[in-house]
Amino acid sequence: MTVLRNHVGGRFVESGRTFDKTSPVDGTTVAVVHEADAVIVDAAVAAARRALNGRWGTSSVADRAALLRRIADGIEARFEDLLAAEVGDTGKPVELARRLDVARAAQNFRSFADTISAKGLDAFLTDTPDGGRALNYAVRKPLGVVAVIVPWNLPLLLLTWKVAPALACGNAVVVKPSEETPSSATVLAEIIAEAGAPDGVFNLVHGFGAGSAGELLTSHAGIDGVTFTGESRTGSAIMKAVAPRVRPVSFELGGKNAALVFDDCDLDRTIEGLSRSVFTNTGQVCLCTERVYVQRGVYDEVVSGLVEAAERLRPGRPEDPAANFGPLISQTHRRKVMSYQALAVEQGAKVVTGGGAPALDGDLAAGAWIEPTLWTGLDNAAAVMREEVFGPVAGIVPFDGEEEAIALANDTEYGLAAAVWTSDLDRGHRVAQRMDVGMAWVNAWYLRDLRSPFGGFGLSGVGREGGEHSLHFYTSPTNVCVGLTGPWSAEEAS
Ligand code: NAD
Ligand code: 6OD
């Protein structure tokens, strides 16, 4: 049996308590995980502080960029180990994890190595609006010890998306992956150590959220900031935990994302993109579309196209080449999604495909499988049109005009992502700009440039990460203002 340990100050450490991580594919135990207690979390924070006060604290941008590139090389060298870890924990199709999760981990480190190499960090000159009487420059310092807390849906992708910029900026991190996905983070700890990171720069604690390692870490007096990806409710709990010591937070939270399909769209391209946006990773991507608004002229074609796409999805073992649809992450999450399936019907939905859980034979019968599900006949008042389900589900609603579509899409407390499908590029720009979201795509979905700002409005988050935007969160500037001696002009000199 695989045993996963915490990684503190360069050493793997056990604790007095373990929990089992089970596979969502068939319910078997994947690993036994050592849950960090208060002593281990204290030790991890102290190790991070020592690293900051040691040679890491005085490392140069060039050295850090070189470390990030060695980590990216290490990820590529151990690609298959990371892939096995990610697939074992999540049950997602191997090809999806290969293309998306593990590939992006290496890209995250390379991208932030490039960003700091191009931008530098040591000093930024500001302009001198007072006519040159002073020289102002800002020295950017690391935030310090950064707590990194991430979810289970894209575990390695989301962890490295935060660890890479944190290390690029000279911070030391204490990372807590989700209790559902502890494996890839443990392999990453080995890779980072092998790449030559000084002890204590990357620390890993395993465990749950409230009452466990997550809460111990976010309420710890020794952390200087928290970067978190997960549910909006958890973000709110973390905000309260850091409030007494007024620490900065960067939050990437939930979404209730809309797609707007106009009747001038390229239908084949739209249905292909839309179905990816609803069903990728079994709907467990924060950017997934759960509300589809379709202009009446193409409504019937879009509904039938999406139904056909849903019915082509084949559940099966991650390594089965005939399967292209994984399970949900856990039985707990499956119960939540099934309760929304029941609620949708109670509130008047017509189920046009799916609506339950598939009856699978043999080993798979014990997995967290769910049917891709589409509803019509609902309006924005229905719970499944307002609350994040985080499964392969969507409500499809017709509209007549552009203003109506914009109002429907923006009628939400979330504000993460939106996608606009149209062949009229003027309309694409016009509508996308009016979406109250962090990321609006036109004729695309989850197409990423890692330098662009990523985050959300409202319940979907606080702050933006990505490229230079990440550098702002992971550093604190000290502005130095040097008064210069005159005379400055003939008038002033006289
Ligand atoms: P979650 O909030 O339940 O858990 C996320 C992490 O927080 C886990 O590591 C968990 O152990 C920890 N945690 C839970 N309670 C805590 C507490 N009180 N204190 C400290 N840590 C705590 O989220 P999840 O179920 O793992 O992930 C799914 C959610 O994440 C969805 O809402 C999804 O939209 C969101 N998400 C958002 C983004 C984004 O970029 N906006 C990306 C991925 C996932
Ligand atoms: O692609 C990314 O950088 C990112 N943060 C994706 C988030 C996906 C949510 O599940």
Side-chain angles (χ1 to χ4, degrees):
M1 178 57 58
T2 305
V3 176
L4 302 177
R5 300 174 180 82
N6 303 285
H7 191 71
V8 175
R11 287 188 318 116
F12 278 104
V13 296
E14 301 194 342
S15 70
R17 195 152 73 176
T18 60
F19 63 93
D20 287 353
K21 160 61 199 164
T22 57
S23 163
V25 173
D26 55 15
T28 54
T29 303
V30 171
V32 172
V33 189
H34 282 264
E35 181 182 355
D37 55 16
V39 173
I40 291 178
V41 172
D42 275 351
V45 173
R49 182 68 58 196
R50 277 197 306 280
L52 278 174
N53 294 339
R55 73 183 158 101
W56 181 247
T58 54
S59 58
S60 67
V61 164
D63 286 349
R64 298 200 296 262
L67 174 68
L68 263 60
R69 293 198 171 98
R70 288 197 301 276
I71 295 172
D73 292 344
I75 289 171
E76 280 155 4
R78 294 197 56 192
F79 199 98
E80 295 302 318
D81 293 343
L82 288 165
L83 192 61
E86 206 71 328
V87 168
D89 279 355
T90 60
K92 64 178 76 187
V94 172
E95 283 319 306
L96 175 65
R98 184 186 295 284
R99 224 179 41 242
L100 179 62
D101 302 62
V102 185
R104 255 296 294 279
Q107 284 162 18
N108 284 341
F109 281 99
R110 290 203 198 288
S111 170
F112 284 105
D114 290 348
T115 298
I116 47 163
S117 302
K119 302 278 172 195
L121 262 188
D122 296 334
F124 285 117
L125 270 182
T126 52
D127 57 8
T128 51
D130 57 357
R133 287 183 177 78
L135 172 69
N136 278 279
Y137 63 93
V139 182
R140 290 196 164 271
K141 300 167 181 169
L143 196 53
V145 175
V146 179
V148 181
I149 306 211
V150 284
W152 44 257
N153 60 322
L154 304 172
L156 184 66
L157 185 161
L158 293 171
L159 176 59
T160 52
W161 173 242
K162 291 183 176 290
V163 169
L167 299 191
C169 293
N171 299 283
V173 296
V174 181
V175 159
K176 196 204 80 65
S178 168
E179 57 277 21
E180 292 291 352
T181 50
S183 303
S184 56
T186 313
V187 179
L188 185 69
E190 293 169 5
I191 292 171
I192 291 179
E194 282 157 16
D199 292 347
V201 166
F202 178 92
N203 304 279
L204 167 67
V205 293
H206 288 299
F208 302 81
S212 178
E215 189 178 344
L216 287 168
L217 182 58
T218 51
S219 56
H220 199 287
I223 57 161
D224 299 305
V226 180
T227 181
F228 167 73
T229 304
E231 274 196 38
S232 304
R233 232 189 342 253
T234 311
S236 169
I238 292 175
M239 223 170 207
K240 287 187 195 123
V242 302
R245 294 174 327 287
V246 199
R247 294 295 186 259
V249 295
S250 173
F251 285 170
E252 295 176 356
L253 307 177
K256 189 72 196 174
N257 311 306
L260 281 69
V261 182
F262 288 91
D263 57 13
D264 59 13
C265 71
D266 173 333
L267 259 182
D268 290 343
R269 176 175 174 188
T270 300
I271 288 167
E272 187 278 324
L274 252 185
S275 59
R276 269 191 304 111
S277 80
V278 177
F279 301 125
T280 293
N281 206 37
T282 316
Q284 303 167 116
V285 179
C286 60
L287 308 163
C288 275
T289 299
E290 291 194 359
R291 297 181 293 143
V292 183
Y293 300 106
V294 188
Q295 202 161 19
R296 222 171 279 277
V298 289
Y299 180 77
D300 290 340
E301 285 119 302
V302 170
V303 173
S304 60
L306 269 182
V307 167
E308 274 171 35
E311 293 177 356
R312 277 197 302 271
L313 294 170
R314 291 280 165 268
R317 289 200 163 274
E319 58 283 358
D320 176 354
N324 55 5
F325 191 65
L328 293 171
I329 189 66
S330 65
Q331 292 296 349
T332 307
H333 190 47
R334 181 181 187 241
R335 281 191 290 279
K336 173 181 159 185
V337 176
M338 289 180 78
S339 76
Y340 275 112
Q341 286 176 326
L343 189 57
V345 173
E346 242 173 82
Q347 297 188 338
K350 176 177 173 206
V351 179
V352 287
T353 188
L360 297 181
D361 298 332
D363 296 351
L364 299 187
W369 301 94
I370 195 83
E371 285 175 347
T373 298
L374 297 168
W375 301 293
T376 58
L378 294 171
D379 62 24
N380 269 6
V384 294
M385 298 300 284
R386 307 209 71 77
E387 296 167 23
E388 183 188 49
V389 179
F390 217 54
V393 301
I396 315 175
V397 176
F399 71 83
D400 293 300
E402 192 174 300
E403 285 302 319
E404 181 192 0
I406 292 169
L408 285 167
N410 283 339
D411 174 23
T412 171
E413 286 190 89
Y414 291 96
L416 192 61
V420 182
W421 299 93
T422 175
S423 294
D424 175 348
L425 268 190
D426 285 348
R427 166 180 273 159
H429 285 283
R430 191 167 65 231
V431 175
Q433 287 176 26
R434 288 185 58 196
M435 293 292 99
D436 295 334
V437 297
M439 287 77 61
W441 280 284
V442 179
N443 296 325
W445 176 76
Y446 201 3
L447 182 59
R448 293 279 284 116
D449 179 329
L450 304 187
R451 298 164 302 181
S452 60
F454 191 97
F457 285 39
L459 281 184
S460 293
V462 175
R464 294 291 182 275
E465 297 203 29
E468 213 180 328
H469 308 275
S470 297
L471 307 190
H472 289 287
F473 177 70
Y474 294 101
T475 61
S476 293
T478 297
N479 190 72
V480 177
C481 175
V482 183
L484 302 177
T485 53
W488 295 105
S489 64
E491 290 81 3
E492 282 173 326
S494 63

